[in-house]
Amino acid sequence: MSDARQKQLSACEQFHRLHASGCFLLPNPWDAGSAVYLQHLGYQALATTSSGFAFTKAKPDTVTALHRDTVLAHFRELAAATTLPVSADFQSGYADAPEDVAANVTLAVATGIAGVSIEDSTGRAEQPLYDTELAIARIKAARQAIDATGIPVVLTARCEAWLIGDPDASRIARERLVAFAAAGADCLFAPGVSDLDEITTLVQLVAPKPLNVLVFAPSPTLSLATLSAAGVRRISLGAALARVAWGAFDRAARGLLATGNFDALEGALPFAELNGLFSGER
């Protein structure tokens, strides 16, 4: 067995173990450096962020903004940069038909990832979500593709009903997450849900499979403690950390222009600390 395959199998085993009990934070690096830094801080697993990565390329967060192969190369870079499990935000799978989703998921698994998420959003304004039966078939195809590789990558199925602003999001998400679980998803995810009672209901509906909750802003009710108590197993941040970084960059750059002094550079991480980390000294 090659070292790369052994590393991936070990990461998959670790990722499954994290989903088995308790609740863990799954932060989203946007490049190799941020991935390495998050491992340095002590996080147990990572997930890519389609939007965070797209912004580094001066592109919007859409399925068509970046070529599939560019995204696959990004997965490969992050999986190689760290020993932690890396879950890949693969958006819609870069395909509509189940058989094409399966082919692309096979390519994604080959990058060394330990997890992959497939969403039911089409990216098209005229029909934001795939029809229910097609959405389920796409998850089944992804499951079969993963199984065929012999590498137990964690499959996360996402329902985007809240993110697209569907007025019937609660019903749609409940029905689809249950169906996706039956179709073979290992983890279920409805990004955009923020009501703790609704989250608790989703946890109960998909049990014993784990539920991922996205937290992208400060919340008076959502915390690691409250979400853990509700039965949530995994908390991801989406583009939040990338946007925090962009926010600090924006404030510093604007401050330089506005004041003509360099006070805005206060708070920067020391050069020696970063250079030492990336030199392998820590």
Side-chain angles (χ1 to χ4, degrees):
M1 182 184 297
S2 70
D3 290 345
R5 184 178 178 87
Q6 183 57 55
K7 177 188 176 185
Q8 186 176 17
L9 289 172
S10 177
C12 289
E13 179 183 357
Q14 182 181 350
F15 205 34
H16 277 282
R17 188 164 58 248
L18 286 171
H19 287 81
S21 63
C23 182
F24 70 99
L25 288 169
L26 185 68
N28 304 74
W30 55 93
D31 61 11
S34 55
V36 170
Y37 200 86
L38 288 167
Q39 177 169 2
H40 162 69
L41 291 177
Y43 285 95
Q44 297 175 286
L46 308 171
T48 72
T49 160
S50 62
S51 51
F53 177 54
F55 299 158
T56 71
K57 302 295 186 182
K59 298 291 185 181
D61 184 26
T62 65
V63 176
T64 57
L66 295 173
H67 192 276
R68 179 204 62 187
D69 292 349
T70 300
V71 174
L72 291 171
H74 176 59
F75 297 167
R76 187 174 294 105
E77 181 182 28
L78 263 61
T82 174
T83 59
L84 296 181
V86 174
S87 186
D89 177 357
F90 208 26
Q91 296 191 302
S92 66
Y94 291 81
D96 295 324
E99 60 270 23
D100 296 330
V101 171
N104 288 343
V105 166
T106 300
L107 294 175
V109 171
T111 66
I113 58 173
V116 64
S117 66
I118 299 294
E119 62 192 45
D120 60 356
S121 174
T122 66
R124 296 186 287 271
E126 66 274 14
Q127 185 186 6
L129 298 181
Y130 290 103
D131 289 336
T132 301
E133 292 306 313
L134 178 56
I136 295 169
R138 286 160 42 82
I139 298 302
K140 287 182 179 178
R143 174 80 274 156
Q144 292 167 358
I146 291 170
D147 291 346
T149 68
I151 300 175
V153 166
V154 173
L155 173 60
T156 298
R158 295 173 42 148
C159 176
E160 307 291 291
W162 266 288
L163 285 191
I164 67 166
D166 194 296
D168 203 15
S170 178
R171 180 191 62 79
I172 293 171
R174 291 181 184 192
E175 292 178 355
R176 291 197 174 198
L177 292 191
V178 170
F180 292 162
D186 297 303
C187 182
L188 291 310
F189 186 12
V193 59
S194 58
D195 179 79
L196 195 56
D197 289 337
E198 182 68 32
I199 290 170
T200 302
T201 296
L202 292 175
V203 167
Q204 294 168 348
L205 284 173
V206 303
K209 293 192 174 181
L211 182 78
N212 182 99
V213 168
L214 171 68
V215 179
F216 52 85
S219 168
T221 57
L222 301 185
S223 67
L224 180 59
T226 59
L227 289 170
S228 180
V232 173
R233 292 284 176 81
R234 192 174 95 180
I235 303 169
S236 59
L237 306 177
L241 288 177
R243 291 189 295 106
V244 167
W246 276 104
F249 174 82
D250 177 74
R251 287 189 296 275
R254 289 178 185 272
L256 291 170
L257 284 175
T259 67
N261 62 46
F262 301 100
D263 293 346
L265 301 182
E266 181 70 29
L269 282 176
F271 172 86
E273 180 177 338
L274 288 169
N275 201 53
L277 172 65
F278 298 134
S279 298
E281 297 172 8
R282 297 186 182 183

